[in-house]
Amino acid sequence: MAEIKDPENTLIMETTKGKVVISLLPDLAPGHVARVKELAREEAYDGVVFHRVIPDFMAQTGDVKFGKKGGESFNPSRAGMGGSEKPDLQAEFSAVPHVRGTCSMARSQSPNSANSQFFICFTDAPWLNKQYSVWGQVTEGMDIIDLIKKGEPVQDPDSIVSVRVAADV
């Protein structure tokens, strides 16, 4: 694993395919970074499936309500329709482009509806620019993200094993 320069703003995500390191961007999206770190520290993302994975586009996960294997509300047919019990976030759109490895919050049609779900871009997705809140960048493990089982919905999906803030490990 590469040296982690800012452990408080780095996530280590273990998936069923392997380890991914994400550098957080608190100056760009402070509210979104705080939410992702809060959910990581609560272990809310542990066991959550990648419910929507579109080749040459992105892998979506983070439904801590319906997408968490072993959770009381786990429902594979509803994965992607839930979030956390926390309030939705105000949009923090920026000019930072959606490129390979970008981590951005998923949302509904409302710009201020991001909650816990997020996606990681497989390729550049310029049509998303200034429309979604970018909060991180994969710095190690995009080869792992590439291996995540594809589908919409995904049959027998891969999942997050754990997400930890590097400072806590």
Side-chain angles (χ1 to χ4, degrees):
M1 192 162 77
E3 180 186 353
I4 294 174
K5 293 178 176 44
D6 183 0
E8 185 56 35
N9 288 301
T10 303
L11 292 181
I12 299 170
M13 180 170 69
E14 190 68 41
T15 73
T16 48
K17 295 294 190 201
K19 187 185 309 191
V20 178
V21 178
I22 300 169
S23 179
L24 301 174
L25 304 169
D27 294 340
L28 189 66
H32 289 73
V33 167
R35 171 65 54 83
V36 170
K37 286 167 47 173
E38 179 182 19
L39 292 169
R41 286 184 161 130
E42 292 172 359
E43 301 182 2
Y45 287 127
D46 296 9
V48 175
V49 299
F50 286 89
H51 65 271
R52 182 172 178 243
V53 185
I54 303 171
D56 300 319
F57 180 29
M58 59 89 214
Q60 187 170 331
T61 185
D63 182 346
V64 301
K65 181 173 185 177
F66 298 122
K68 187 179 179 86
K69 287 183 177 179
E72 61 184 55
S73 300
F74 178 59
N75 184 339
S77 66
R78 296 195 68 198
M81 297 179 195
S84 73
E85 298 295 321
K86 301 172 189 319
D88 289 345
L89 296 164
Q90 291 293 307
E92 294 177 307
F93 300 159
S94 69
V96 170
H98 284 76
V99 296
R100 178 169 167 78
T102 295
C103 301
S104 195
M105 289 305 263
R107 61 173 179 81
S108 69
Q109 296 287 31
S110 168
N112 301 315
S113 62
N115 187 289
S116 66
Q117 291 189 48
F118 64 91
F119 60 91
I120 302 172
C121 295
F122 289 124
T123 58
D124 295 359
W127 62 92
L128 300 178
N129 295 349
K130 300 180 185 175
Q131 307 281 325
Y132 292 83
S133 299
V134 173
W135 56 264
Q137 180 68 36
V138 173
T139 55
E140 188 178 322
M142 267 311 292
D143 56 326
I144 301 300
I145 298 299
D146 290 337
L147 297 174
I148 293 172
K149 193 182 295 182
K150 314 296 188 278
E152 192 180 6
V154 184
Q155 299 302 312
D156 189 29
D158 286 305
S159 61
I160 296 170
V161 175
S162 65
V163 177
R164 298 293 177 265
V165 177
D168 301 340
V169 178

